Amino acid sequence: MSTTGQESEPAAAKAADTAPLTEQERIVQLARATAGGGSTLAQPAPEPTFREGVSAYVARLRGGDIGSLPAIAGLVVLFVLFSALRPDTFPTPGNIANLLVQASSIIVLAMGLTFVLLLGDIDLSAGVAGGASAAVMALVLRETGVNWIVGLLAALVTGLVLGTLIGLLVARVGIPSFVVTLAFFLGVQGITLRLIGEGGTIAVRDDVIVAIANSNVPVWLGWVLALAAAAGYAAVSLLRWTGQRRRGLSRDNLGVVVLRVVVVAAVLLLVTAVLSQNRARVASIHLAGIPYSVPLIAVLLVVLTLVLGRTRYGRHVYAVGGNPEAARRAGISVRGIRMSVFMIGSTLAALAGVIDASRLNSVAPGSGGANTLLLGVGAAVIGGTSLFGGKGRVSNAVIGGLVIAAIANGLGLLGQAQYVNYLVTGVVLLLAATVDAVSRRRRASSAV
């Protein structure tokens, strides 16, 4: 053997020893150490350098694990493009606030649909379920004059009942979700029409309900919430990294973690600074602060992310979405999980209907119809949730909802016809589905 060949083997071995371990390699290493009677932390995973952390992230992207990166990049491009084309209107505080309010109901609807899509199912009735739930709330408030809490609970219970019925038919009877939810899509519209009456509307006058989409958090409280959100995200990220280091698990470079925290905090504080400016067109009126729907979405994002990422139920949802048969053999109640996601989806659809009714100050027979469902599904998929199941996060709904709202808002400011909005949104959705399919194929090939 040549000298070059003799020297290449130690060099390769040294490179392999210093390369950061993947999670699966670390598990194998721990299992071997345990089997040999040694300490499970005898060989802790080395901490990668900043360059190695970036290289590992690039490698994950090439392997198909791209997450929400395309949607985030698209959102940045849209903001830059529309700001350049309409610098006097699009980037103004007033328009940013309007954009966030317009996106709120879509985001909440997409959050619920994310749970359904994680199992590879679909809920075609989510939009009209939200409209019917809002109609029930409006009727309860108008006819009885009860507190807004009772009206809101009536809407949420309506959504929960509809989701339970859908879940029973899908999970217990075994009817495909497409057929069941299509039937509910038609039937629930009939219920809404019966409640409101053809051509009629129900006005929403409750001050608290109307304030959800039409009033703002005090400026000082907005800053407190923004700082608390940034600090909370930083604490969670650093505690997670510290825990991985303490257990000897593979982890990102600390510099990469800090950079991620800085970017998120900068975005939160920048948006808060913009919305804290007076955006009233009349000098005698002071209009500033974050719309109430934004903190509502933030709370939902935190709670639902913890449910999916930090609980046994969330792990079961991903397991069933990834491989239902394997999940069943592992003792997971596949039927129970399938039923629960439709219950969650319809309940959040009801909340989305309430936000929409707040924004419009009324409920009509067509509320939740038309393209509402398509926008909700589009927001989840554009944000990075897979149509094939087993892959997605609640945060995908937020990013995708902002993309859809930015398209509609920007094209409206440019004076484009409605058909252009549909065409552009359809193309973006198709691109997102294509990226999802290609990424899935790459992940499958890289795992072989």
Side-chain angles (χ1 to χ4, degrees), residues 349-416:
L351 182 57
V354 171
I355 295 174
D356 206 35
S358 171
R359 183 172 65 89
L360 300 174
N361 292 346
S362 64
V363 182
S367 296
N371 61 342
T372 302
L373 170 73
L374 303 180
L375 293 178
V377 174
V381 175
I382 290 172
T385 300
S386 176
L387 288 169
F388 301 98
K391 176 180 174 289
R393 298 178 179 178
V394 180
S395 58
N396 298 152
V398 179
I399 299 171
L402 290 175
V403 170
I404 288 180
I407 293 173
N409 184 280
L411 291 178
L413 293 177
L414 292 175
Q416 297 296 321

Side-chain angles (χ1 to χ4, degrees), residues 7 19 31 53 109 124 146 170 198 206 236 265 289 301 341 360 395 411 440:
E7 293 177 353
L109 180 62
L124 300 177
V146 295
V170 173
E198 189 171 355
D206 185 89
V236 170
L301 176 62
V341 297
L360 300 174
S395 58
L411 291 178
R440 183 170 177 265

